[in-house]
Amino acid sequence: MLKSGDVNQIIEATDYISYNKDMSMIGDMLEHTFDPRITHIITHKGMSVYQIKMAAMKEMTGILPPNKTTYKPDSVNIRFYLNVAIKHGWIK
């Protein structure tokens, strides 16, 4: 579902991974993180795929990103969480 073209499926998969704190899926979740598409799902209405993935990373790691997360993809935040995942051995 993370590799789907459907925003709602991507968000559903991200929510599932975050809720279950499935660290083995972090690498897959961080693929295509620069996705600016907005969802209309009531629980995330108006949020971008990027924003939802960053919120999931914050929830799963317990670490705040260096920059405020908005709907616009931020390469600093993405690189930050990639480095955290590599450092902890969640991705190679």
Side-chain angles (χ1 to χ4, degrees):
M1 289 173 64
L2 285 171
K3 296 179 183 191
S4 170
D6 182 358
V7 173
N8 297 335
Q9 286 187 359
I10 296 168
I11 292 167
E12 188 178 330
T14 301
D15 283 347
Y16 180 83
I17 292 165
S18 177
Y19 178 79
N20 291 293
K21 296 197 185 308
D22 186 353
M23 301 312 227
S24 69
M25 294 298 295
I26 284 183
D28 293 322
M29 188 177 73
L30 287 176
E31 281 187 38
H32 309 293
T33 308
F34 283 95
D35 192 339
R37 293 179 293 168
I38 304 292
T39 184
H40 299 290
I41 297 174
I42 194 71
T43 55
H44 300 295
K45 188 169 176 107
M47 294 177 74
S48 68
V49 171
Y50 156 78
Q51 197 171 10
I52 293 164
K53 286 184 175 188
M54 292 297 100
M57 288 301 296
K58 179 178 141 190
E59 177 71 27
M60 292 173 72
T61 64
I63 303 171
L64 293 172
N67 296 331
K68 181 179 178 182
T69 304
T70 65
Y71 68 93
K72 293 181 186 178
D74 182 340
S75 62
V76 172
N77 287 348
I78 294 168
R79 172 66 58 192
F80 173 77
Y81 281 124
L82 279 170
N83 289 334
V84 167
I86 291 168
K87 179 181 174 187
H88 285 87
W90 298 322
I91 61 174
K92 296 178 183 179

